[in-house]
Amino acid sequence: MTAKVRTAILISGRGSNMTALIEAAKKPDYPADIALVLSNRPDAGGLQRAAADGIATAIVDHKAHPDRESFEHRVDAVLREHGVEIVCLAGFMRILTPWFITRWEGRLINIHPSLLPDYRGLHTHARALADGVSRHGCTVHFVVPELDAGPTIAQASVPVLPGDDEAALSARVLEQEHRLYPAALADVAAGRVRLIEGAIADDRPADHARFLAG
Ligand code: GRF
């Protein structure tokens, strides 16, 4: 088998998606290896979880940097020191500048808790509930400079049920996030889906699951 693709996960918090990626990457035939977990917050719960699994961790505290540019230059340097090839954003709560995004173009992916293009930005579950939609979900996409606007790699949807509140709906979506992100990273790491000049190049077979339903 060809070498596994060295992957970093960027987090700011509890890291449940990070954990799902770490667990998936333990399988011998998984095409990516988690080489680094990096947090902008020293107190992110996910850091301890990653370290307990023997994964290298790094903290680049945005508060210790005078501006976004110097923060991102440091993140970029740490990623390169670890030989990282793909970067997964997983609850990373910093907006990235076009400089960073362009540098990692096609190798930078994110999970967002909505069926994009619906509900870009924050508070997606509350907004979906307020609108009374019947289905909601999550999306893994390539990151482009426009927020939550990059080409979709994969989506998973769930029903919105009578009596749902934000906690119930977000838990149902999160369960799907944990299935979707490992599947999407595998597709990117194996080169089955790529970003070419801003558009998706998709070599996945027609029956390959890009849209999961929960
Ligand atoms: C997830 O809902 C993800 O979609 C969003 O931030 C949340 C992170 O949760 N981008 P976790 O830290 O992975 O548990």
Side-chain angles (χ1 to χ4, degrees):
M1 179 177 168
T2 48
K4 292 183 176 223
V5 180
R6 291 178 68 78
T7 301
I9 308 172
L10 269 51
I11 63 168
S12 299
R14 63 187 169 181
S16 71
N17 277 288
M18 175 209 77
T19 299
L21 292 172
I22 289 172
E23 290 303 319
K26 287 180 181 171
K27 297 188 189 102
D29 58 349
Y30 195 77
D33 183 40
I34 308 306
L36 175 71
V37 169
L38 183 152
S39 172
N40 65 305
R41 294 185 54 117
D43 60 351
L47 285 169
Q48 280 182 8
R49 171 68 175 75
D53 252 309
I55 292 169
T57 61
I59 297 163
V60 181
D61 186 349
H62 62 280
K63 291 188 183 145
H65 290 77
D67 50 36
R68 222 174 259 282
E69 197 179 37
S70 62
F71 164 71
E72 288 185 357
H73 274 82
R74 183 67 198 137
V75 172
D76 183 70
V78 174
L79 294 173
R80 282 165 202 282
E81 278 161 22
H82 285 82
V84 168
E85 298 163 281
I86 290 180
V87 177
C88 294
L89 306 180
F92 184 66
M93 301 304 285
R94 302 298 296 167
I95 289 177
L96 295 164
T97 70
W99 175 80
F100 185 92
I101 292 169
T102 307
R103 220 164 148 73
W104 288 91
E105 191 176 84
R107 300 181 299 144
L108 178 60
I109 66 178
N110 180 45
I111 188 155
H112 181 77
S114 79
L115 294 172
L116 291 172
D118 294 340
Y119 307 115
R120 294 175 180 172
L122 298 174
H123 311 300
T124 56
H125 307 306
R127 287 156 60 207
L129 286 169
D131 285 350
V133 296
S134 60
R135 294 204 72 89
H136 186 47
C138 51
T139 304
V140 177
H141 62 93
F142 284 110
V143 177
V144 299
E146 192 183 342
L147 189 67
D148 300 329
T152 292
I153 298 164
Q155 285 187 315
S157 75
V158 299
V160 180
L161 301 177
D164 267 354
D165 58 10
E166 220 179 314
L169 183 56
S170 69
R172 194 174 307 122
V173 171
L174 195 63
E175 205 178 304
Q176 296 305 313
E177 293 185 35
H178 298 162
R179 294 170 66 206
L180 190 71
Y181 213 172
L185 172 60
D187 286 342
V188 174
R192 290 187 284 267
V193 55
R194 302 180 307 282
L195 185 69
I196 311 267
E197 292 177 4
I200 292 274
D202 199 338
D203 294 337
R204 294 173 292 190
D207 61 354
H208 187 93
R210 304 162 172 74
F211 302 97
L212 308 179

